């Protein structure tokens, strides 16, 4: 790590690296776990506590990634003029949307016809950056209020649902309703990440960056990290306990205590509910509190993935998909089954495809080990060539 020339804030990169590593677990599960193509790991009728936990722990990835993208934007804004920040956020947002449509869909599905198009987290980050590029011209307190309103208030819109392919319907799918939209008999478009709350999360992350600007006292920052982190967790339990607002799906008493607990923590991600944001961002702030001054081999390990998130993201999706195909071939399957077109999820060959959770965790560890060195090499190259403009887009 001594080769790296950087002024980046290590605690933020460590947190980002941790969630990037955890993210790979969810994506390995998507491609390797038995029943992953036909069942939902949060379905209380079919899941197990271990499977539910495997899915729940990965809930931290998207909100932390979006939140810290806002924080990075703020830190970037302290070194540039507003027009420069506007241009960067706008162009980077457009770039991420293009990457989502063209590259990410190809890596996830390996379908050259693009018959199954899913707009996921990269799309949400890109759109949120475009909105943030305009918000930066507002006072920081106004941005904070907007962020709070979007995150805390969007669940009032949960009852509004639409159907069809009209322009108004598509706009609503983009804003607040997850939707699988058949275009024709062989083509599907999925609006997976409705963006209203994600814009709010990024706006809050932007405001959060104020705690890390040059000259801000570390003791004061840690105090606020503790206050905000604990308050978010307490508010989560209060809201879920009242069970009246804050999530699309209220929890309910089940036939066992374990299932009731799972129901309580089964918060909505699409779009991310207020409860979902509180229970993911709150502990993440406490994590930042805890790693403020940590420096050891473990933190250096996670630092690698946290400093090259986009590079690592695309590389890990490609690697996991390739390994899944290799495993299918080794055990006598047809590799074409994992070329995932619009009808892939009705493919009977995938109904019983997959491996145990034990195998999923083994593959996950292998993927992380495999990607560590190329990620580290790119991290060093990027840090030592920070004046190369195009590297900021990768």
């Amino acid at each position: 790590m001594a080769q790296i020339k950087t002024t980046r804030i290590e605690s933020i990169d460590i947190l980002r690296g941790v969630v990037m590593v955890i993210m790979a677990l969810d994506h390995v599960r998507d491609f390797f776990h038995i029943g992953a193509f036909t069942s939902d790991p949060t379905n209380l009728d079919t899941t197990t506590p271990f499977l539910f936990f495997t899915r729940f722990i990965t809930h931290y990835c998207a909100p932390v990634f979006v939140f810290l993208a806002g924080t990075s934007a703020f830190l970037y804004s302290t070194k540039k003029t507003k027009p420069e920040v506007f241009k960067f956020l706008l162009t980077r947002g457009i770039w991420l949307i293009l990457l989502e449509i063209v590259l990410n869909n190809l890596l996830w599905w390996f379908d050259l016809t693009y018959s199954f198009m899913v707009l996921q987290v990269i799309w949400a980050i890109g759109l949120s950056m475009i909105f943030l590029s305009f918000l930066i011209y507002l006072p920081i307190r106004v941005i904070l209020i907007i962020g709070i309103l979007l995150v805390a208030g969007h669940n009032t819109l949960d009852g509004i649902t639409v159907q069809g392919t009209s322009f108004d319907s598509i706009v609503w799918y983009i804003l607040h309703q997850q939707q699988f939209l058949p275009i024709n008999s062989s083509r599907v478009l999925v609006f997976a990440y409705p963006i209203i709350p994600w814009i709010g999360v990024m706006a809050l992350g932007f405001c959060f960056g104020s705690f890390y600007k040059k000259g801000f006292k570390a003791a004061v920052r840690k105090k606020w990290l503790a206050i905000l982190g604990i308050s978010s967790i307490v508010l989560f339990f209060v809201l879920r306990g009242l069970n009246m607002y804050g999530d699309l799906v209220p929890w309910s008493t089940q036939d066992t205590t374990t299932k009731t607990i799972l129901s309580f923590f089964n918060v909505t991600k699409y779009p991310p509910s207020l409860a979902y944001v509180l229970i993911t961002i709150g502990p993440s702030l406490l994590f930042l509190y805890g790693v403020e001054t940590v420096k050891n081999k473990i933190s250096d390990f996670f630092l690698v993935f946290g400093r090259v998130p986009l590079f690592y993201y695309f590389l890990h999706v490609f690697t996991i998909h390739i390994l899944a195909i290799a495993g299918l071939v080794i055990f006598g399957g047809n590799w074409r089954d994992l070329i995932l077109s619009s009808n892939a999820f009705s493919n009977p060959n995938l109904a019983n495809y997959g491996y145990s959770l034990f195998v999923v965790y083994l593959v996950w560890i292998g993927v992380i080990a495999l990607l560590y060195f190329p990620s580290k090499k790119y991290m060093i190259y990027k840090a030592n060539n920070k004046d190369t403009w195009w590297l900021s887009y990768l």
Side-chain angles (χ1 to χ4, degrees):
M1 304 294 286
Q3 304 174 62
I4 301 172
K5 306 171 185 176
T6 183
T7 57
R8 292 176 64 102
I9 298 169
E10 290 201 351
S11 59
I12 290 176
D13 285 333
I14 292 169
L15 173 58
R16 187 185 287 112
V18 168
V19 299
M20 297 301 285
V21 167
I22 293 173
M23 175 186 64
L25 173 60
D26 193 42
H27 297 160
V28 170
R29 181 193 58 78
D30 283 332
F31 279 96
F32 280 85
H33 187 236
I34 187 166
F37 287 93
T38 56
S39 62
D40 179 358
T42 63
N43 184 337
L44 300 184
D45 293 328
T46 57
T47 193
T48 65
F50 192 26
L51 176 58
F52 183 92
F53 169 80
T54 301
R55 175 55 177 150
F56 179 82
I57 192 65
T58 63
H59 277 337
Y60 286 84
C61 305
V64 171
F65 196 66
V66 175
F67 186 81
L68 294 183
T71 302
S72 296
F74 177 88
L75 296 174
Y76 181 81
S77 73
T78 63
K79 307 169 188 175
K80 303 289 183 179
T81 66
K82 274 209 168 41
E84 288 175 324
V85 178
F86 171 82
K87 179 182 177 182
F88 174 72
L89 290 174
L90 182 65
T91 55
R92 184 173 172 83
I94 294 171
W95 172 239
L96 289 175
I97 290 171
L98 290 174
L99 286 177
E100 177 72 87
I101 294 171
V102 178
L103 180 60
N104 203 34
N105 276 283
L106 182 62
L107 297 180
W108 269 96
W109 319 119
F110 282 8
D111 176 19
L112 294 176
T113 69
Y114 289 89
S115 64
F116 188 59
M117 184 81 69
V118 185
L119 304 177
Q120 301 186 71
V121 67
I122 304 298
W123 152 273
I125 294 173
L127 274 178
S128 297
M129 280 188 172
I130 292 173
F131 278 93
L132 184 61
S133 70
F134 293 94
L135 291 178
I136 63 168
Y137 286 99
L138 299 174
I140 193 76
R141 290 184 180 181
V142 176
I143 300 175
L144 177 62
I145 292 171
I146 291 173
I148 292 173
L149 288 175
L150 292 178
V151 171
H154 81 93
N155 284 120
T156 60
L157 305 173
D158 287 343
I160 303 174
T161 58
V162 299
Q163 296 294 328
T165 58
S166 68
F167 176 78
D168 291 346
S169 296
I170 291 174
V171 169
W172 189 241
Y173 302 150
I174 293 172
L175 292 176
H176 201 259
Q177 180 182 327
Q178 187 188 53
Q179 185 74 16
F180 284 67
L181 187 67
I183 304 302
N184 53 44
S185 60
S186 61
R187 191 168 297 278
V188 175
L189 176 62
V190 183
F191 297 93
Y193 276 70
I195 66 162
I196 286 179
W198 293 117
I199 295 170
V201 170
M202 185 172 287
L204 292 178
F206 184 86
C207 298
F208 177 74
S210 300
F211 292 131
Y212 289 90
K213 65 183 178 182
K214 190 174 182 180
F216 199 96
K217 292 182 179 180
V220 177
R221 175 171 58 248
K222 291 194 70 173
K223 174 185 174 182
W224 276 107
L225 287 173
I227 291 173
L228 293 173
I230 293 171
S231 298
S232 296
I233 295 170
V234 170
L235 184 55
F236 165 79
F237 281 101
V238 170
L239 281 176
R240 285 302 269 176
L242 294 173
N243 212 21
M244 296 174 60
Y245 180 77
D247 199 272
L248 179 64
V249 181
W251 65 276
S252 59
T253 302
Q254 304 292 311
D255 55 359
T256 67
T257 301
T258 298
K259 282 188 176 182
T260 299
I261 294 172
L262 297 186
S263 177
F264 186 89
F265 284 97
N266 191 18
V267 287
T268 303
K269 181 179 180 180
Y270 309 103
S273 67
L274 172 58
Y276 175 94
V277 173
L278 289 171
I279 198 56
T280 52
I281 296 299
S284 301
L285 297 180
L286 294 182
F287 181 90
L288 285 174
Y289 174 92
V291 300
E292 174 91 14
T293 57
V294 171
K295 180 68 175 176
N296 54 40
K297 290 183 179 179
I298 295 176
S299 65
D300 285 347
F301 174 82
F302 289 112
L303 206 61
V304 168
F305 301 106
R307 285 185 170 164
V308 291
L310 194 60
F311 171 84
Y312 163 81
Y313 178 89
F314 291 125
L315 186 60
H316 98 283
V317 172
F318 175 74
T319 301
I320 291 168
H321 201 158
I322 287 291
L323 290 176
I325 290 177
L328 191 63
V329 171
I330 289 171
F331 290 103
N334 186 343
W335 64 271
R336 291 182 178 84
D337 288 336
L338 285 178
I339 306 300
L340 304 171
S341 60
S342 61
N343 61 359
F345 294 92
S346 59
N347 182 350
N349 294 333
L350 292 179
N352 297 313
Y353 159 79
Y355 315 87
S356 69
L357 268 181
F358 178 73
V359 172
V360 168
Y361 274 81
L362 286 181
V363 174
W364 170 54
I365 293 170
V367 167
I368 297 304
L370 187 64
L371 299 186
Y372 174 77
F373 291 104
S375 296
K376 183 176 181 179
K377 188 172 182 179
Y378 181 65
M379 176 192 70
I380 294 172
Y381 175 79
K382 187 175 182 179
N384 291 334
N385 294 273
K386 56 185 178 181
D387 293 329
T388 304
W389 69 269
W390 57 267
L391 285 175
S392 62
Y393 290 83
L394 296 174

